Amino acid sequence: MRKKRAVCIMSGGMDSTLAAYMMQSRGYEIIGVHFNYDQRTQQKELECFESIAQALDVSKKYTLDLDFFKQLGASALTDREIEVPTGGVEEGVPVTYVPFRNGIFLSMAAAIAEKETAEVIAIGVVEEDSSGYPDCREDYISAMQKAINLGTKEETNITIAMPLVHLKKSEIVAKALELHVPLELTWSCYKNESKACGVCDSCRLRLKGFALAGVKDPIEYE
């Protein structure tokens, strides 16, 4: 009898890495999926994914290039003419939101899950303590699960796991330490690929999480 499988969307960041480790701790064989979408820190995120996949001992990995995101633009992560905000997390949807990114990622992951006969797709979305992205909401992910199962073979039955959705960043740090997640291999910065900037929304949320958890972030900052 084969081991149950989970397709894990892995950006190289702290949240998706913890989600993959949580699925492994639940007895799943991990299939790692990473997306290059011409984001500012694409090379660094890819390097982190490769290192994490090795540490996690994934059974198979997919790296998919989605260069059309550059044509779409409309986000500070994919359009170099839009500045990454550094003034702190504000109300509303920030300019770092990439239009329907998680919907596209989940659609691609669904194709892989159906091919690999995986029972689960895992995604590290965080609703309560995030930048306010609409495609990180639990209701939305649940709706995508229904759509995926309507659009796949009758014998395909995929659950989308979002084990972090109601956690705060400090709880994510604590859980990652509990599971011995190599946080030094993860990357959260939206701007830089060498030393993290420390002032973009993602860095601020990460640093606050470590501070509230009472531990030092192992990556370097400017």
Side-chain angles (χ1 to χ4, degrees):
M1 188 174 172
R2 75 165 177 82
K3 202 172 182 182
K4 55 187 182 177
R5 294 174 179 169
V7 171
C8 295
I9 297 171
M10 298 170 64
S11 68
M14 184 167 67
D15 299 344
S16 64
T17 301
L18 173 58
Y21 269 80
M22 288 174 76
M23 298 313 293
Q24 189 180 67
S25 74
R26 295 174 186 177
Y28 286 91
E29 177 184 323
I30 304 302
I31 298 167
V33 182
H34 180 78
F35 297 100
N36 294 321
Y37 56 100
D38 205 49
Q39 68 273 39
R40 287 175 186 262
T41 55
Q42 176 171 291
Q43 192 55 44
K44 180 66 175 180
E45 290 180 30
L46 179 59
E47 288 170 12
C48 290
F49 166 68
E50 293 289 353
S51 299
I52 293 158
Q54 187 174 0
L56 193 58
D57 193 26
V58 301
S59 65
K60 187 179 283 190
K61 60 186 179 182
Y62 289 82
T63 300
L64 304 178
D65 296 319
L66 306 179
D67 57 359
F68 62 82
F69 275 106
K70 184 179 182 179
Q71 290 177 267
L72 286 175
S75 169
L77 299 194
T78 55
D79 186 340
R80 303 306 190 269
E81 293 183 9
I82 303 174
E83 288 293 320
V84 174
T86 57
V89 181
E90 298 177 355
E91 289 294 315
V93 179
V95 295
T96 51
Y97 165 65
V98 179
F100 206 61
R101 177 179 59 182
N102 282 342
I104 293 163
F105 287 0
L106 285 167
S107 298
M108 303 290 282
I112 292 168
E114 186 164 41
K115 175 206 167 188
E116 299 284 356
T117 60
E119 294 88 347
V120 172
I121 297 168
I123 186 167
V125 292
V126 179
E127 185 175 300
E128 293 186 7
D129 195 10
S130 69
S131 296
Y133 296 157
D135 58 351
C136 287
R137 293 177 297 193
E138 184 177 22
D139 286 351
Y140 165 67
I141 303 295
S142 297
M144 277 297 290
Q145 176 180 299
K146 184 177 180 182
I148 284 166
N149 285 309
L150 282 170
T152 48
K153 292 181 293 187
E154 193 174 335
E155 62 268 27
T156 300
N157 184 23
I158 295 168
T159 300
I160 302 179
M162 36 183 162
L164 280 59
V165 72
H166 294 304
L167 298 183
K168 296 190 179 301
K169 277 286 193 251
S170 56
E171 294 171 322
I172 288 167
V173 172
K175 186 67 178 176
L177 293 171
E178 179 190 321
L179 292 180
H180 305 291
V181 175
L183 292 172
E184 70 279 2
L185 300 180
T186 65
W187 195 253
S188 303
C189 185
Y190 286 154
K191 289 184 68 178
N192 299 344
E193 293 189 301
S194 51
K195 290 183 180 180
C197 74
V199 289
C200 70
D201 285 4
S202 188
C203 279
R204 287 176 186 272
L205 287 165
R206 178 177 173 131
L207 284 167
K208 181 184 175 185
F210 274 93
L212 290 174
V215 290
K216 186 178 185 300
D217 190 343
I219 70 167
E220 279 192 272
Y221 287 85
E222 286 183 339

